Amino acid sequence: AAAREESSEEEDAALKHAARLRLRRKLDRRGLLRPPTENASRYTLAKGAWYDYEAKYMNDVEARHLMDLLLENEPWTQVVCKAYDPLRDTLKDVPQPRLTSHMGHIAYRYSGQTLEPRVPTGEDDVSANALAALMARVNDHLDLSED
């Protein structure tokens, strides 16, 4: 069972890596490795990463509505991590200073934690529908339709 779980984690990592490469190639072909509009600001991060910020991409009413939908309909939790306490030479539980909710089909693993996904439940899933609409809008804005 442990070997299957390890194999599954390796397959998940390989799938995520392949998806990132496909997206990067698609972005590069379309010239989108630069800010998408003249209104966007590019912020450089470490190791060649960046993010683009477009202040007026979503107006205040739309943003508040989406945030309210997610706050009301998602199961938010506070993840507790293990941290080394050098004074006591032990591990202690430290709650992360944020609430987390993970929707998707694949578990997300970082810092020794695994966030199990909340799989969308269908047409009546308010959060999933709102996020799907947002993703469609982002894909359309960036012209990332399937090809």
Side-chain angles (χ1 to χ4, degrees):
R4 265 185 280 150
E5 185 175 310
E6 188 175 305
S7 174
S8 177
E9 286 180 19
E10 289 173 7
E11 289 171 7
D12 288 348
L15 287 172
K16 287 178 187 176
H17 180 71
R20 282 193 301 272
L21 288 177
R22 282 193 307 276
L23 178 60
R24 187 165 183 86
R25 283 193 296 272
K26 187 180 285 190
L27 290 170
D28 191 35
R29 280 194 313 269
R30 295 185 176 154
L32 295 172
L33 295 180
R34 63 189 183 328
T37 71
E38 65 276 357
N39 298 324
S41 299
R42 172 149 297 171
Y43 296 90
T44 304
L45 305 171
K47 298 182 181 180
W50 74 90
Y51 72 92
D52 296 326
Y53 175 71
E54 191 166 339
K56 299 296 180 187
Y57 179 74
M58 182 180 285
N59 69 44
D60 292 344
V61 172
E62 292 173 306
R64 183 78 254 165
H65 178 68
L66 178 60
M67 190 67 188
D68 289 343
L69 281 175
L70 295 174
L71 287 173
E72 292 171 17
N73 294 288
E74 279 303 293
W76 297 94
T77 59
Q78 186 172 34
V79 177
V80 175
C81 295
K82 297 284 186 190
Y84 178 69
D85 182 347
L87 297 175
R88 294 183 178 84
D89 194 30
T90 60
L91 289 176
K92 63 180 180 179
D93 289 338
V94 178
Q96 290 184 346
R98 63 184 158 276
L99 296 176
T100 305
S101 181
H102 175 54
M103 182 186 298
H105 298 280
I106 299 174
Y108 178 65
R109 186 166 174 75
Y110 73 99
S111 297
Q113 300 291 317
T114 300
L115 297 178
E116 294 299 330
R118 183 185 76 74
V119 177
T121 58
E123 291 180 21
D124 61 339
D125 190 326
V126 175
S127 296
N129 292 336
L131 291 175
L134 178 61
M135 283 305 301
R137 182 175 172 174
V138 168
N139 288 340
D140 185 55
H141 182 72
L142 296 176
D143 190 25
L144 293 179
S145 55
E146 295 296 321
D147 49 359

